[in-house]
Amino acid sequence: MNLRNPDILRLAKLNDAPEIFYSIQGEGRSIGRPSTFVRTSLCNLHCIWCDTDYTWNWKGTPFPHHFDALPGYEKYDKNALIATCSIEEVAKMVHQYPCRNIILTGGEPLMQQPALAHLMRRLRASDPNYRFETETNGTLLPEVEFDALIDQYNVSPKLENSGNSRRLREKKKVYEFFASSPKAFFKFVVSDPADLAEVLELLERYSVAADKVWLMPEGSTREQLEARRLWLTDICKTYGFYFSDRLHVQIWGSKKGV
Ligand code: SF4
């Protein structure tokens, strides 16, 4: 699979269609902002609590997941869940919505930078008011053209609680890039108060200021979020971090594509 082809995007497939939908941003710096989401397929990490596991947890791969404990949960058929789309097709789907704030999400969008750069150029040519945010796990370096087109990076560095090895999740050069980019904001998924030491260590190592940091409870149900909200807001107050809810979980639960 050639992920460097600028004319082809591999998107997640949901209900047999590429996952492009109009909703509100549920997390981080732009929380609450009406946005159109373009969800790419494929990820270079495999977080044990990932709630978009249908972008990477393929049959035949060894990665464990919390959902393994759910009755009937099975890994996914890679061929059935990747939509191969031309940039024109994606632009047409984005154009059906009135929104100009576009969120490139995944999976890991930065695995497909040439095609996403092409998409951003194509949309801006149709209307210069398009604004682009990308979610990223902070392990892949933005390329020059991609970086020039992006308005905001929502960087979500993964902690030990994700189940990814440190070698996979912490890339020094990439962290240094995002730490020095005025367009980058950091969002950490926190499962336990003990995760804080790791967050503080990372922020210190890469000189990230507290006002660029959002802490968000790990959880894909309202109950899980509620159980972590109180102690996490206390941590945010102590260190001057922003607290991020997961609005889409609060509103729609685990329903996808809304
Ligand atoms: S980096 Fe994001 S998409 Fe990839 S496995 Fe982790 S949570 Fe899921």
Side-chain angles (χ1 to χ4, degrees):
M1 190 180 291
N2 175 14
L3 297 180
R4 303 289 307 163
N5 184 338
D7 299 321
I8 296 292
L9 256 178
R10 262 79 186 195
L11 297 184
K13 216 191 250 186
L14 191 66
N15 303 326
D16 231 19
E19 194 177 343
I20 296 177
F21 60 101
Y22 181 33
S23 187
I24 54 165
Q25 171 62 295
E27 307 173 350
R29 185 178 188 240
S30 306
I31 193 166
R33 184 169 184 164
S35 303
T36 299
F37 291 78
V38 176
R39 188 180 305 285
T40 59
S41 188
L42 305 166
C43 188
N44 58 337
L45 296 184
H46 26 83
C47 304
I48 197 157
W49 37 251
C50 176
D51 61 2
T52 53
D53 52 324
Y54 55 97
T55 62
W56 59 269
N57 198 10
W58 313 125
K59 282 181 179 157
T61 59
F63 310 119
H65 195 286
H66 281 169
F67 292 166
D68 293 338
L70 297 178
Y73 176 77
E74 275 185 21
K75 285 176 178 278
Y76 300 91
D77 178 355
K78 187 173 182 179
N79 292 326
L81 285 187
I82 298 180
T84 302
C85 302
S86 71
I87 299 305
E88 276 313 306
E89 286 170 325
V90 178
K92 201 170 159 193
M93 287 184 268
V94 171
H95 277 145
Q96 63 184 312
Y97 302 116
C99 177
R100 293 294 176 268
N101 196 56
I102 308 298
I103 299 183
L104 309 173
T105 187
E108 173 49 53
L110 269 64
M111 291 173 76
Q112 301 187 63
Q113 294 184 50
L116 288 174
H118 186 175
L119 175 66
M120 289 190 278
R121 267 190 278 109
R122 168 70 183 77
L123 290 171
R124 280 234 177 92
S126 70
D127 184 342
N129 293 317
Y130 271 106
R131 177 182 180 275
F132 299 102
E133 297 181 26
T134 188
E135 310 286 341
T136 179
N137 58 29
T139 59
L140 298 171
L141 203 57
E143 293 161 16
V144 173
E145 192 195 8
F146 184 85
D147 183 50
L149 290 158
I150 280 288
D151 294 286
Q152 182 175 312
Y153 293 102
N154 303 320
V155 186
S156 184
K158 300 307 176 229
L159 304 176
E160 187 74 28
N161 68 32
S162 70
N164 297 287
S165 68
R166 185 163 172 186
R167 183 183 61 81
L168 283 181
R169 67 178 194 263
E170 186 178 339
K171 305 288 180 186
K172 186 170 179 284
K173 280 206 168 82
V174 184
Y175 277 17
E176 284 170 353
F177 174 92
F178 287 123
S180 64
S181 168
K183 298 194 272 192
F185 299 87
F186 292 79
K187 179 181 69 187
F188 291 89
V189 176
V190 179
S191 301
D192 186 277
D195 294 339
L196 179 66
E198 206 183 335
V199 173
L200 294 175
E201 195 191 313
L202 271 175
L203 297 179
E204 190 181 337
R205 198 175 318 139
Y206 296 100
S207 306
V208 179
D211 64 358
K212 290 187 79 168
V213 176
W214 276 251
L215 299 189
M216 185 175 81
E218 186 258 305
S220 48
T221 66
R222 295 179 188 107
E223 295 72 25
Q224 288 167 340
L225 296 179
E226 190 176 350
R228 296 180 166 124
R229 193 179 296 143
L230 273 182
W231 55 257
L232 191 55
T233 47
D234 279 344
I235 289 175
C236 288
K237 283 159 62 185
T238 303
Y239 291 91
F241 302 139
Y242 292 93
F243 173 83
S244 174
D245 205 341
R246 303 195 75 201
L247 270 190
H248 46 299
V249 174
Q250 300 291 2
I251 299 170
W252 293 290
S254 57
K255 199 169 172 192
K256 303 290 178 211
V258 286

